[in-house]
Amino acid sequence: MSNRIERANSEVQRCIAQIITTKMNDPRLSPFLYVSEISLTPDFKYCKVKIALDSDDQNVLNQNLQVLQKSEGFIKRELAKMVDMPFMPKLNFVLDKGTSASVRVNELLKNLNIPKLEEENGEDDE
């Protein structure tokens, strides 16, 4: 990936995250929602926005995704004010399943009941 695309990805990611957290006042959006990755096409016409949420509830994830898809016009307008790009890309919001899977694995590891090994001093009780 070219350096130009990488810089554009990071700038767009920063701006979209800022728009979602500070300018969108929709109560249906979770405060734990974050933008995990951005993938701009080289012609800047399309942008895949991966979002993640620290939750396992599929209904909450889908609701947040729907709110963001319906707010695409607002997000694009605000993004146009923040960055200078040849085109404002069409935003496609998708769930980041990798982040969701790692959250689930961490929860499972926390809930494991593994007994601690008792240390042996090496002394015999004779």
Side-chain angles (χ1 to χ4, degrees), residues 2-105:
S2 73
N3 194 21
R4 176 178 176 232
I5 297 295
E6 288 178 20
R7 284 183 308 182
N9 281 340
S10 65
E11 182 66 16
V12 169
Q13 180 176 359
R14 184 188 66 77
C15 291
I16 289 177
Q18 184 178 3
I19 291 167
I20 291 172
T21 57
T22 61
K23 297 185 179 186
M24 290 185 69
N25 297 325
D26 196 319
R28 296 172 294 175
L29 282 178
S30 171
F32 301 111
L33 178 78
Y34 62 95
V35 179
S36 62
E37 186 180 341
I38 297 281
S39 298
L40 275 167
T41 57
D43 61 358
F44 294 112
K45 292 196 178 184
Y46 299 97
C47 179
K48 184 190 299 184
V49 181
K50 289 187 178 181
I51 61 164
L53 184 64
D54 294 337
S55 173
D56 287 353
D57 189 5
Q58 198 64 31
N59 293 332
V60 173
L61 291 169
N62 289 332
Q63 181 183 13
N64 280 281
L65 190 62
Q66 287 175 349
V67 168
L68 290 172
Q69 286 290 10
K70 289 184 179 186
S71 303
E72 179 194 3
F74 172 77
I75 295 171
K76 282 175 66 171
R77 232 181 359 264
E78 292 298 317
L79 184 62
K81 294 176 188 176
M82 299 172 83
V83 295
D84 183 28
M85 295 175 64
F87 298 99
M88 268 306 113
K90 168 137 180 51
L91 302 176
N92 182 22
F93 292 94
V94 295
L95 293 175
D96 187 359
K97 296 184 193 267
T99 307
S100 300
S102 66
V103 167
R104 179 73 177 135
V105 167

